[in-house]
Amino acid sequence: MAGGQRAATRRSGAPLRRVPVQERSAARVQRMLDACADLVDELGYDGLTTTLLAERAGVAIGSVYQFFPDKRAVVQALTLRNLETYLGRIGHRFGEGGFTHWWDGVDAVIDEYVTMQRHTPGFRGLHFGDIVDVHLLDPELDNNAVIVRELRDLLVRQFELTADERLDFALTVAVETGDALIKLAFRRAPDGDPGVIAEAKTLIRQYLSGYVRD
């Protein structure tokens, strides 16, 4: 989780009007984010309203606006929470050890993304925010570029890879390719077509093997 927390603190333009200090307020904000995730699954982003959000979370509409200026900000906060969860899950997998090569780490990155697509409310409808704004995670970088930066840092720390422009370029292509193929997998089957997911792993391994210098 520490990696995700660092990622969040590096970004400007935080979606919250104010950070909840009291435990009760923090819990209320989390209920709002949970409600947002459920409503995005049910209605999509366009169907989400702050009124529905307040009703689902069991809070007054004023409580929503106390912390968020609009529904976009709520979705941005949910997306940042999903990113922290994703990076935390990958960091945990890396921390467990057992990887003999960097491509085992790449497989873990894909596996955790697929798991969140299957089981994390709101994630399939939002991914990392592109459905709302390609700059939802960072005002200066597109959303996948943020993912590339965070994955690069994890892979470099774990496998002592050479951090350079060559690696950044390769990971950018790999992330864009993997994102497209996993979306295809979930269009073909509700839980993700396992054949497409396996092909995504193979393709990305083969591609990165020509770029990554360890």
Side-chain angles (χ1 to χ4, degrees), residues 18-130:
R18 67 181 185 86
V19 177
V21 177
Q22 296 181 343
E23 184 175 341
R24 183 171 58 183
S25 296
R28 189 160 65 247
V29 168
Q30 292 306 312
R31 287 206 310 276
M32 295 179 202
L33 298 185
D34 292 341
C36 178
D38 290 339
L39 289 168
V40 166
D41 280 343
E42 296 170 17
L43 306 173
Y45 176 73
D46 290 339
L48 175 69
T49 68
T50 52
T51 299
L52 288 173
L53 176 67
E55 292 174 355
R56 182 65 60 91
V59 301
I61 189 68
S63 291
V64 176
Y65 289 117
Q66 180 182 10
F67 292 101
F68 300 102
D70 50 34
K71 76 172 187 179
R72 182 187 183 280
V74 183
V75 170
Q76 184 182 17
L78 174 62
T79 304
L80 288 168
R81 187 177 75 171
N82 286 341
L83 176 57
E84 291 184 17
T85 299
Y86 178 57
L87 295 173
R89 292 173 67 102
I90 295 170
H92 179 71
R93 289 281 297 275
F94 283 11
E96 288 180 330
F99 295 157
T100 58
H101 201 277
W102 60 263
W103 59 52
D104 296 320
V106 172
D107 281 357
V109 165
I110 295 173
D111 287 340
E112 293 302 331
Y113 188 80
V114 169
T115 296
M116 288 189 67
Q117 283 270 91
R118 289 172 175 161
H119 302 298
T120 301
F123 188 76
R124 190 182 299 193
L126 295 174
H127 297 107
F128 289 116
D130 287 358

Side-chain angles (χ1 to χ4, degrees), residues 164-198:
D164 55 19
E165 291 183 1
R166 178 184 173 89
L167 178 61
D168 285 352
F169 177 78
L171 288 176
T172 296
V173 173
V175 165
E176 294 288 350
T177 302
D179 185 40
L181 288 174
I182 291 171
K183 287 176 181 175
L184 171 63
F186 280 87
R187 287 201 305 271
R188 290 171 62 94
D191 287 330
D193 186 318
V196 175
I197 293 169

